[in-house]
Amino acid sequence: MTRETMGRIDPRLIRLFDLPAAPEGVVVALAAIDGPCELVSDALDDLGFDGVIAASVLRPTIAGATMVGPAITLRNRPLEADPFVVAREGHMNRQADFEAHNLTRPGDVLVIEGRQGISNLGGISATMGKRQGGLGAVIDGGIRDVRHSRRIGYPVWCSDITARTGRWRQETVEINGPVTIRGVPVHPGDIVCADDSAVCIIPLALADEVTRRVLKRVVTDRASLDFLATDRPLSEFPRPDARNFRE
């Protein structure tokens, strides 16, 4: 990648401040759950935050993948110039996902407010993220080189898979600022939880309470499954009080 083809972004738009740390134990506790999004979704419902995006909307590229980690955010916007003219004459790539990877800490999740029908992340970018210890990406928009990102174990939840590059069609305007993913606000440091069912965004201020409620549900669900593993009749199945999930 040459200086002429690398993305350019005004350094003033890259927020270099230290991201807030997740409450101790939150990421570890949620990541230890097999398929955590259902329980996280229920807890977010109880707390009145609509932070769930269905996996049929943002589809995972690697079946069975799960990731839980703090968000590092990036926002793209369309370029007004004719992309074919830019590609033919300018060769100026204004995407700057590599700058976000440069700020990535091990365990971070890249969250991109991007464009539909074009790539916001390709194979080189996925390799950068993997090299820096990023868990994967959530992208409201398209990606390409999906075979490569699958091969290196860098899962992506995205709306489109396409060969059409975004390099001449959009530009990065901010890193580590607020973004919106399918109507859900995401701030740097918010906890991203993603699996085969959904992508869930947990505001940092709710992370402790969401985790507490989720761990309580793990216990009650385990008790239900233990009962179902017996030969006892379903008429004896314990019906949990809905309040148990909210207290």
Side-chain angles (χ1 to χ4, degrees), residues 81-92 165 167-169:
D82 184 326
F84 301 104
V85 172
V86 176
R88 185 174 63 247
E89 299 179 358
H91 288 279
M92 177 60 73
T165 182
R167 284 176 291 180
W168 327 127
R169 296 174 169 87

Side-chain angles (χ1 to χ4, degrees), residues 21-33 36 40 67-70 189-193 202-215:
E24 186 175 357
V26 163
V27 170
V28 172
L30 295 179
I33 299 170
V40 170
M67 63 181 182
V68 180
D190 285 350
I191 305 302
V192 180
C193 184
I202 307 172
L204 199 55
L206 299 180
D208 270 333
E209 182 61 18
V210 165
T211 304
R212 188 185 73 82
R213 291 167 184 264
V214 165
L215 293 179

Side-chain angles (χ1 to χ4, degrees), residues 6-72:
M6 288 177 66
R8 303 281 179 84
I9 182 172
D10 187 332
R12 292 171 297 179
L13 300 177
I14 304 174
R15 300 173 183 249
L16 297 175
F17 57 79
D18 290 334
L19 297 182
E24 186 175 357
V26 163
V27 170
V28 172
L30 295 179
I33 299 170
D34 184 21
C37 281
E38 284 86 353
L39 300 184
V40 170
S41 175
D42 288 351
L44 290 173
D45 277 353
D46 291 345
L47 296 171
F49 182 76
D50 187 3
V52 181
I53 306 157
S56 55
V57 175
L58 297 183
R59 297 178 294 276
T61 57
I62 301 178
T66 298
M67 63 181 182
V68 180
I72 181 168

Side-chain angles (χ1 to χ4, degrees), residues 116-138:
Q116 314 302 313
I118 60 175
S119 175
N120 297 264
L121 178 143
I124 298 298
S125 183
T127 303
M128 287 181 180
K130 182 75 173 180
R131 177 182 181 272
Q132 296 298 97
L135 298 181
V138 171

